[in-house]
């Protein structure tokens, strides 16, 4: 009798696993498995058509091949065939949004030569006109000498002409009171808050939850993404004001991705996961198996080849 009960229980368990696999064709995989149509799921392999490849985001433009966050990097991403580009936005002393990653100008411009007495050369201490004088390309290579730090307006104009899409990061909002309102003003003036852009061509992200809440309050129609890896227990609170959880690839596994996907975001759709910064084929294949929706990378062509 005990043997019969065990056999029935085993059969039921196997039927339950089969039903689960049929119901969820893109179940999150373990950390190992094939990058083809066969996925490894808790030791069980499902066979069928491959899941859609993750969306590839060109990080700071195609920043492995051109100076980061410049129009040259945007154009390089376009020539490589990538629609989505990521950038970082900060405010100048006179309140102009500019596209640059570091809160200081030293690493990616010649600010020390142009303004030798202005250390520590923080972005917030320079006007837009002063920043426009800086060379933001020579550090990367002589062929990019004279490349400038673009304003957000200039950046939007270029990616608009390229018909690209934008993952915009609000950088260090604690340094720039009102930056959310100013970025939204520039986006609106550049016609990036119309229905087409809001629906499919624009995401605003930040490491600062408070900044994303301000964006969501001011423009609840805009898609937002939180940069980081909140505890699974806290994900529901983030889902109230964001549509994406965008963590470092070093901080996630299949269980975490599945926990994010189990929730609906601020616009009633499944929370998405875009992970960063993945620059080699092996890591790209690994995170694809975790079930991520997007991969943010300096080398978008390498990631596309590994996952496409």
């Amino acid at each position: 009798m005990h043997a019969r009960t065990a056999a029935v229980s085993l059969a039921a368990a196997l039927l339950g696993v089969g039903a689960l696999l049929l119901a969820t064709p893109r179940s999150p995989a373990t950390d190992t498995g094939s990058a083809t149509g066969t996925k490894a799921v808790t030791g069980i392999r499902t066979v069928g058509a491959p899941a859609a490849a993750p969306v590839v985001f060109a990080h700071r433009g195609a920043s492995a091949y051109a100076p980061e966050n410049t129009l040259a990097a945007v154009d390089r991403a376009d020539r490589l065939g990538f629609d989505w580009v990521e950038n970082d936005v900060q405010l100048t002393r006179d309140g102009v949004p500019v596209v640059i990653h570091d809160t200081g100008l030293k690493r990616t411009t010649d600010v020390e030569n142009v303004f030798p007495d202005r250390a520590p050369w923080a972005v917030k201490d320079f006007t837009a006109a002063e920043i426009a004088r800086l060379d933001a390309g020579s550090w990367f290579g002589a062929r990019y000498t004279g490349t400038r730090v673009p304003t957000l307006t200039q950046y939007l104009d270029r990616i608009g002409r390229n018909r690209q899409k934008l993952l915009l990061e609000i950088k260090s909002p604690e340094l720039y009171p009102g930056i959310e309102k100013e970025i939204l003003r520039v986006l609106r003036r550049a016609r990036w808050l119309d229905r087409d852009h809001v629906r499919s061509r624009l995401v605003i992200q930040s490491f600062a939850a408070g900044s994303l809440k301000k964006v969501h309050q001011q423009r609840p129609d805009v898609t937002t993404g939180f940069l980081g890896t909140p505890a699974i227990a806290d994900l529901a609170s983030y889902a109230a004001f964001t549509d994406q959880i965008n963590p470092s690839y070093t901080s996630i596994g299949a269980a975490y991705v599945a926990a994010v996907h189990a929730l609906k975001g601020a616009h009633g759709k499944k929370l998405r996961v875009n992970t960063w910064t993945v620059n080699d084929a092996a890591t790209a294949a690994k995170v694809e198996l975790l079930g991520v929706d997007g991969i943010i990378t300096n080398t978008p062509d390498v990631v596309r080849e590994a996952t496409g």
Side-chain angles (χ1 to χ4, degrees), residues 54-94:
V55 176
V56 179
F57 297 84
H59 184 235
R60 308 179 198 172
S63 55
Y65 311 119
E68 63 182 58
N69 275 321
T70 64
L71 302 186
V74 166
D75 288 343
R76 186 63 182 269
D78 183 50
R79 290 195 299 272
L80 289 170
F82 291 95
D83 291 334
W84 280 99
V85 294
E86 185 267 358
N87 73 356
D88 307 276
V89 180
Q90 301 182 59
L91 291 186
T92 64
R93 191 175 73 188
D94 48 344

Side-chain angles (χ1 to χ4, degrees), residues 53-54 56 77 79-82 284 297 299-308:
V56 179
R79 290 195 299 272
L80 289 170
F82 291 95
T297 173
T299 55
D301 53 334
V302 173
V303 171
R304 177 175 59 193
E305 180 67 22
T307 62

Side-chain angles (χ1 to χ4, degrees), residues 3 18 30 32 42 52-53 57 85 92 126 145 157 162 166 194 207 223 226 264 272 289:
T30 60
T32 59
T42 60
F57 297 84
V85 294
T92 64
F126 288 78
T145 299
D157 179 67
N162 291 346
L166 178 60
D194 62 19
F207 284 100
T223 298
F226 178 75
K264 291 184 177 180
R272 295 174 64 86
L289 287 174

Side-chain angles (χ1 to χ4, degrees), residues 103-126:
T103 56
L105 294 158
K106 182 178 177 180
R107 181 176 66 88
T108 57
T109 77
D110 62 346
V111 67
E112 289 182 274
N113 296 328
V114 179
F115 298 103
D117 300 323
R118 299 275 295 274
W121 301 289
V123 172
K124 66 183 180 62
D125 294 334
F126 288 78

Side-chain angles (χ1 to χ4, degrees), residues 226-274:
F226 178 75
L227 280 163
T229 315
I232 289 176
D234 297 331
L235 287 173
S237 64
Y238 285 82
F241 61 87
T242 194
D243 307 280
Q244 301 176 358
I245 301 295
N246 298 341
S248 166
Y249 77 89
T250 62
S251 68
I252 60 171
Y256 189 83
V257 175
V260 175
H261 284 164
L263 296 171
K264 291 184 177 180
H267 290 98
K269 298 179 181 179
K270 182 180 74 173
L271 276 176
R272 295 174 64 86
V273 179
N274 300 319

Side-chain angles (χ1 to χ4, degrees), residues 283-304:
T283 304
K286 180 178 178 180
V287 298
E288 181 187 22
L289 287 174
L290 300 182
V292 300
D293 303 288
I295 298 175
I296 301 169
T297 173
N298 300 334
T299 55
D301 53 334
V302 173
V303 171
R304 177 175 59 193

